Amino acid sequence: MKRLTIIFLVALATATTLEAQRKMRTADVTSDTLMVHDPVMAYSHDTYHVFSTGRGIQHATSKDMKTWTLHVEPTMSVIPKWAHDSVQGFRDHVWAPDIIRYRDRWWLAYSCSTFGKNTSAIGLLSTRDLTPGCIWDDEGPLVCSREGRDNWNAIDANFVIDDNDQPWLVFGSFWDGIQMVPLDSTMHIADKGKQKTIARRFPGKKENPVEAPFIFKHGSYYYLFVSWDYCCKGMDSTYKVVVGRSRKVDGPYFDRDGKDMAQGGGTLVIEGDKKEFEAAGHNSAYTVNGTDIFLCHGYSVVLDGASILIKKEMIWSEDGWPKLIKN
């Protein structure tokens, strides 16, 4: 009985903190349970920065990746006019950022869209400083998709720099799956850059629930993580993360059984255990002080489907496949 009381009190305290994160904030909120969707991370000046989906892009910081401060001021204080012009119905709820350090600047991609449609745009910001409230330069759109014109969706961007210092953009959600295209030194699509599909869930079918690509280099392989199935439904979510690998950054990517990810291949990395998390997905991965770290969001069972940050150590099998360590 005492143990149940303690669990209840911890859950109540956590729920109270999460409620403070949900509400329109007038001050920063500090918690060891960070409410996020689509988390990505950067490290600068002894501080970890997590950017995630939210009004103007949510920004949280930590010194130890345990206790997080969610900042009241969003990353984007102003949504550029081109974004509203490009995506009818989009306001200020910005989806699925990604961030990378390249040639002495931080580059942040973000998604402008409305749920269930592929009239979308991926925008670009840049800065030299990640201090909360810093000024980001609007670098305009990276890529736009149009309903009725394109069989792909311009959201869920990820940057990767290959071994030749060539930047690439990976993106996509549903429709014809995950797309990849080379970028130039300004982090915009390269002149005559050819876009191609590198991952699908159900090739040739109308419903193709694959999204949220993230490429991570380990050893001589590039690893493509993607999320399968459905997010954003609380306790009805079915999200999971799968992976494939390639010696070439632009693929093809094959799963552990040798199946091409463009033809529906993918080796499971994480899914809901139905005890702690109903579902988990939209991941990112980093090497921090020699340790590989896997981040994603998970729909908490205890918190009735609230989406919170999952952080796990990632190790590698003898034949070079990722495995997550239980906390």
Side-chain angles (χ1 to χ4, degrees):
M1 184 67 182
K2 182 178 180 181
R3 181 174 179 271
L4 290 175
T5 301
I6 291 172
I7 291 173
F8 171 77
L9 291 174
V10 170
L12 180 62
T14 302
T16 301
T17 304
L18 292 182
E19 185 62 24
Q21 294 181 49
R22 283 193 186 100
K23 292 180 178 180
M24 187 67 71
R25 300 183 308 278
T26 58
D28 296 349
V29 176
T30 298
S31 173
D32 59 1
T33 304
L34 180 62
M35 178 177 281
V36 294
H37 272 92
D38 320 324
V40 294
M41 189 171 71
Y43 181 74
S44 178
H45 299 297
D46 300 321
T47 301
Y48 299 96
H49 298 257
V50 162
F51 298 90
S52 59
T53 290
R55 287 185 173 84
I57 305 175
Q58 181 172 288
H59 184 187
T61 56
S62 175
K63 294 294 185 179
D64 58 8
M65 288 192 292
K66 295 178 181 178
T67 300
W68 294 92
T69 297
L70 181 59
H71 297 282
V72 64
E73 189 167 359
T75 305
M76 302 175 70
S77 57
V78 176
I79 305 297
K81 183 177 183 300
W82 68 258
H84 294 297
D85 291 343
S86 298
V87 183
Q88 186 176 5
F90 169 72
R91 295 185 178 180
D92 63 355
H93 195 256
V94 184
W95 297 353
D98 190 38
I99 188 167
I100 197 168
R101 181 80 172 172
Y102 181 65
R103 297 191 177 181
D104 297 324
R105 289 189 74 82
W106 291 102
W107 302 88
L108 189 147
Y110 60 93
S111 302
C112 308
S113 191
T114 55
F115 204 79
K117 297 183 179 180
N118 76 322
T119 295
S120 308
I122 294 172
L124 182 65
L125 304 173
S126 74
T127 188
R128 294 188 184 278
D129 177 31
L130 292 184
T131 302
C134 72
I135 301 300
W136 289 82
D137 294 332
D138 173 25
E139 304 286 353
L142 277 176
V143 61
C144 300
S145 55
R146 291 289 179 272
E147 190 171 5
R149 182 191 73 184
D150 302 311
N151 192 30
W152 42 271
N153 194 5
I155 66 171
D156 289 7
N158 169 237
F159 294 120
V160 58
I161 311 297
D162 69 19
D163 291 337
N164 297 314
D165 203 39
Q166 166 70 52
W168 297 78
L169 180 70
V170 197
F171 65 95
S173 171
F174 286 66
W175 279 265
D176 194 37
I178 304 305
Q179 310 296 305
M180 190 168 196
V181 66
L183 303 177
D184 60 24
S185 61
T186 71
M187 299 298 278
H188 289 78
I189 292 177
D191 186 33
K192 299 181 181 179
K194 187 177 180 181
Q195 181 177 314
K196 66 178 182 179
T197 302
I198 60 172
R200 299 179 178 94
R201 177 72 162 108
F202 298 122
K205 294 187 177 181
K206 184 176 181 180
E207 193 76 0
N208 187 32
V210 57
E211 60 186 12
F214 195 95
I215 293 179
F216 180 78
K217 181 73 182 296
H218 174 76
S220 59
Y221 285 99
Y222 295 92
Y223 290 80
L224 171 62
F225 297 86
V226 299
S227 292
W228 279 357
D229 299 335
Y230 299 92
C231 78
C232 314
K233 297 182 178 182
M235 290 295 289
D236 293 324
S237 301
T238 55
Y239 238 12
K240 58 183 67 68
V241 176
V242 301
V243 70
R245 69 183 186 183
S246 174
R247 292 188 185 275
K248 296 175 58 180
V249 70
D250 59 341
Y253 285 85
F254 297 94
D255 68 14
R256 199 167 194 168
D257 295 324
K259 187 173 182 179
D260 190 338
M261 292 185 76
Q263 300 303 317
T267 297
L268 184 66
V269 178
I270 189 173
E271 63 181 341
D273 60 7
K274 312 303 179 182
K275 296 178 182 179
E276 187 176 7
F277 294 100
E278 182 66 24
H282 205 121
N283 80 288
S284 54
Y286 308 92
T287 300
V288 178
N289 297 324
T291 299
D292 292 334
I293 301 295
F294 179 99
L295 302 181
C296 69
H297 69 255
Y299 298 95
S300 170
V301 172
V302 172
L303 298 174
D304 195 28
S307 178
I308 63 175
L309 180 68
I310 297 175
K311 177 178 71 73
K312 292 182 177 291
E313 181 180 349
M314 185 166 61
I315 61 173
W316 302 87
S317 66
E318 289 186 3
D319 57 346
W321 289 95
K323 179 181 179 181
L324 304 183
I325 299 298
K326 293 183 179 180
N327 292 337

